[in-house]
Amino acid sequence: QVQLVESGGGLVQTGGSLRLSCAASGRTFSSYSMGWFRQAPGKEREFVAAISGGWSGGSTYYADSVKGRFTISRDNAKNTVYLQMNSLKPEDTAVYYCAATRSIMVRTTSNYGYWGQGTQVTVSS
């Protein structure tokens, strides 16, 4: 069982930065791949970024819309995954969720069995 708690969301102007954190419970955090997803009003939840766990841990994956602006990282000693978001745009406005999976298909929402409650990110124009 993994419990996830996100923090770090807020209101920021276009071009600004935020860092989201996701704290996980449990002693097996390092074995999970971790993902960040987002959901804007009226839209489906979409993949943002992921970082692999286990023996091949540390590989990163990004949606094209955030590549070059967002960076995902993890600290297994702190059971925490981060999402550094730079050059934010109004279209980045959404509720951001972190999630955990043991699947290698880290871009697929349905492969994640554990989800946090979400944190709101609002980018004003």
Side-chain angles (χ1 to χ4, degrees):
Q1 193 80 355
V2 178
Q3 294 184 322
L4 305 170
V5 179
E6 302 98 334
S7 61
L11 174 65
V12 64
Q13 291 186 334
T14 296
S17 298
L18 282 174
R19 189 176 82 154
L20 305 183
S21 299
C22 174
S25 65
R27 294 177 292 178
T28 59
F29 172 76
S30 62
S31 68
Y32 286 88
S33 293
M34 301 298 296
W36 285 97
F37 292 77
R38 66 187 181 187
Q39 188 166 19
K43 294 188 176 181
E44 292 188 354
R45 192 168 298 189
E46 65 175 3
F47 171 77
V48 175
I51 186 166
S52 63
W55 66 271
S56 64
S59 297
T60 57
Y61 309 84
Y62 297 95
D64 288 343
S65 59
V66 307
K67 200 172 296 183
R69 299 188 297 123
F70 291 11
T71 303
I72 189 171
S73 61
R74 67 189 299 161
D75 185 338
N76 289 335
K78 295 182 178 180
N79 278 16
T80 302
V81 62
Y82 304 97
L83 185 67
Q84 177 66 45
M85 305 186 295
N86 299 329
S87 302
L88 283 161
K89 306 175 181 179
E91 51 263 44
D92 295 318
T93 296
V95 177
Y96 283 70
Y97 299 89
C98 74
T101 183
R102 284 205 163 112
S103 170
I104 61 173
M105 307 295 286
V106 295
R107 297 176 182 268
T108 304
T109 306
S110 60
N111 286 339
Y112 287 78
Y114 302 100
W115 292 85
Q117 82 290 347
T119 185
Q120 176 71 46
V121 171
T122 303
V123 184
S124 64
S125 56

